[in-house]
Amino acid sequence: DMHIKYGKENESDVREAVRGVVINGDSIGIINVQKFDCYIFPGGGIDDGENHEVALKRELLEEAGLLVEVGKYLLTTESFEPDFAHINHFYLCNIVGDGDTDYTEVEKELNIQFEWITITELYDYYLEYETDYRYGLVNAVIQNSIKSRGYLLLTLLDRMLNLDLMK
């Protein structure tokens, strides 16, 4: 198992989540958080009694309207941020059908939208990202952490799937 830990350890509450990596040809499924003008991988918190697979299937249906089969485990990141200690488990997922999204009130407020963008576009987004202070310092710190996770994940995928991102 690949487990990457970063940030200054603190006594924050822990938020454990599962995230799906859905690839379709040269595109990758991503959540556009329009309120903060950023991308995150689809997924979310693990509810009581759920294992990773059940939680990820539920989250991808709710956020992306996708019915998936959970595939290969990729990576776990643990980062200490101003709001929580975030633990994210990433898995490759295969689409098996479509369903209806069901956004939470928080997701509606964040104005999230599932999109397909090319893997190269997403890689460039992470590679060229500059700290965004438009939404305050705490948000900037959290966004930098999210960008780090995304970059790590795409670098790993590049090696696993021979995507040739680092040309």
Side-chain angles (χ1 to χ4, degrees), residues 115-126:
E115 299 177 357
W116 292 102
I117 65 173
T118 69
I119 297 170
T120 304
E121 282 177 291
L122 187 61
Y123 185 75
D124 289 346
Y125 165 77
Y126 289 131

Side-chain angles (χ1 to χ4, degrees), residues 19-31 40-43 56-57 59-61 63-72 74 90-98 114-119 122 153-154 157 161 163:
R19 305 243 169 238
V21 178
V22 186
I23 296 174
N24 187 1
D26 68 346
S27 294
I28 192 163
I30 199 76
I31 297 291
I40 60 171
F41 280 88
L56 191 49
K57 285 181 174 184
E59 285 287 347
L60 281 169
L61 178 60
E63 290 186 355
L66 297 176
L67 299 170
V68 299
E69 140 189 302
V70 178
K72 181 176 176 57
L74 297 170
F90 293 88
Y91 292 86
L92 273 177
C93 294
N94 299 310
I95 301 170
V96 295
D98 292 326
F114 180 78
E115 299 177 357
W116 292 102
I117 65 173
T118 69
I119 297 170
L122 187 61
L153 185 62
L154 287 183
L157 283 175
L161 305 176
L163 299 172

Side-chain angles (χ1 to χ4, degrees), residues 3-148:
H3 189 114
I4 297 171
K5 195 173 185 177
Y6 57 98
K8 186 173 187 213
E9 204 159 337
N10 57 40
E11 298 299 316
S12 297
D13 289 340
V14 173
R15 182 167 191 278
E16 190 168 6
V18 286
R19 305 243 169 238
V21 178
V22 186
I23 296 174
N24 187 1
D26 68 346
S27 294
I28 192 163
I30 199 76
I31 297 291
N32 181 345
V33 182
Q34 294 180 61
K35 180 176 180 178
F36 294 121
D37 192 23
C38 67
Y39 291 122
I40 60 171
F41 280 88
I46 302 165
D47 290 344
D48 286 343
E50 286 184 326
N51 63 27
H52 288 192
E53 182 179 1
V54 169
L56 191 49
K57 285 181 174 184
R58 176 183 53 75
E59 285 287 347
L60 281 169
L61 178 60
E62 290 173 358
E63 290 186 355
L66 297 176
L67 299 170
V68 299
E69 140 189 302
V70 178
K72 181 176 176 57
Y73 163 80
L74 297 170
L75 157 79
T76 296
T77 61
E78 186 174 355
S79 57
F80 298 92
E81 297 164 24
D83 56 349
F84 294 102
H86 291 264
I87 300 173
N88 287 281
H89 308 281
F90 293 88
Y91 292 86
L92 273 177
C93 294
N94 299 310
I95 301 170
V96 295
D98 292 326
D100 295 321
T101 57
D102 183 18
Y103 297 139
T104 65
E105 289 307 311
V106 170
E107 290 165 342
K108 288 176 188 173
E109 188 215 324
L110 292 172
N111 196 14
I112 71 166
Q113 183 174 340
F114 180 78
E115 299 177 357
W116 292 102
I117 65 173
T118 69
I119 297 170
T120 304
E121 282 177 291
L122 187 61
Y123 185 75
D124 289 346
Y125 165 77
Y126 289 131
L127 196 59
E128 297 167 8
Y129 179 77
E130 293 185 19
T131 302
D132 184 351
Y133 293 105
R134 288 178 294 170
Y135 309 104
L137 183 59
V138 169
N139 183 272
V141 170
I142 293 168
Q143 291 306 322
N144 280 345
S145 180
I146 290 170
K147 304 312 184 288
S148 297

Side-chain angles (χ1 to χ4, degrees), residues 148-163:
S148 297
R149 287 196 290 270
Y151 180 77
L152 284 168
L153 185 62
L154 287 183
T155 303
L156 176 66
L157 283 175
D158 183 49
R159 299 219 170 145
M160 286 176 55
L161 305 176
N162 298 313
L163 299 172

